[in-house]
Amino acid sequence: MADLEQLYQQVIMDHARSRHGSGLLEDWDGESVQVNPTCGDQVRLRVRLDRTAAPRVAAIGWEGQGCSISMASLSLMHDLAVGRTLAEVDELNELFLEMMHTRGGFDEDKADRLEDAAALEGVSRFPARVKCALLGWMALRAAIAHALVTDPEDS
Ligand code: ZN
């Protein structure tokens, strides 16, 4: 178990540093700004949708500052969500929320579906940090909602 935790630590540190999806999109459909006052994390996230019959997340770009967990979670979420249908993103978001409330012992099959984002499972044992891990997902959900109420013909 110690090895797995070390691996998870490494994934989190790598993503906190490399920040996949970092940088705001010029061409976007929805935007959200989220703040986690308990830790001071903040993010501005923009999403571009591929508006087909089953709309997909075409791109996510974000700019933020905060603790390693919040920044790593945004980076991991970016890799997980880009290219997915909105229905899939909803499902992954629900799984991630569930993982954040298990406090250890999250179902392995569900963890597999979260891919590298499962590295954040350990955060669920520290309730004060759960909001850090959820910041990005809240921003993505709000940015998609914003995109869906915006008429693409107007932009
Ligand atoms: Zn934080």
Side-chain angles (χ1 to χ4, degrees), residues 19-119:
R19 300 188 179 193
H20 299 176
S22 176
L24 291 178
L25 300 175
E26 297 284 323
D27 178 14
W28 51 280
D29 299 307
E31 181 184 59
S32 170
V33 174
Q34 297 288 329
V35 176
N36 170 21
T38 56
C39 182
D41 312 316
Q42 47 188 290
V43 66
R44 176 184 299 272
L45 181 147
R46 289 175 177 172
V47 66
R48 184 166 70 244
L49 300 183
D50 181 2
R51 294 175 190 265
T52 56
R56 284 176 188 276
V57 171
I60 295 170
W62 57 276
E63 222 170 59
Q65 48 185 311
C67 68
S68 298
I69 290 170
S70 63
M71 296 300 109
S73 185
L74 273 149
S75 176
L76 287 158
M77 182 193 73
H78 168 271
D79 290 0
L80 191 58
V82 170
R84 305 272 191 169
T85 65
L86 299 190
E88 286 169 339
V89 169
D90 268 352
E91 239 179 78
L92 291 166
N93 191 2
E94 288 304 314
L95 278 176
F96 193 84
L97 275 169
E98 192 185 325
M99 182 173 77
M100 281 301 118
H101 293 105
T102 51
R103 303 199 182 181
F106 187 56
D107 184 85
E108 263 182 54
D109 291 334
K110 289 180 177 174
D112 283 349
R113 291 170 59 200
L114 289 173
E115 300 176 10
D116 282 350

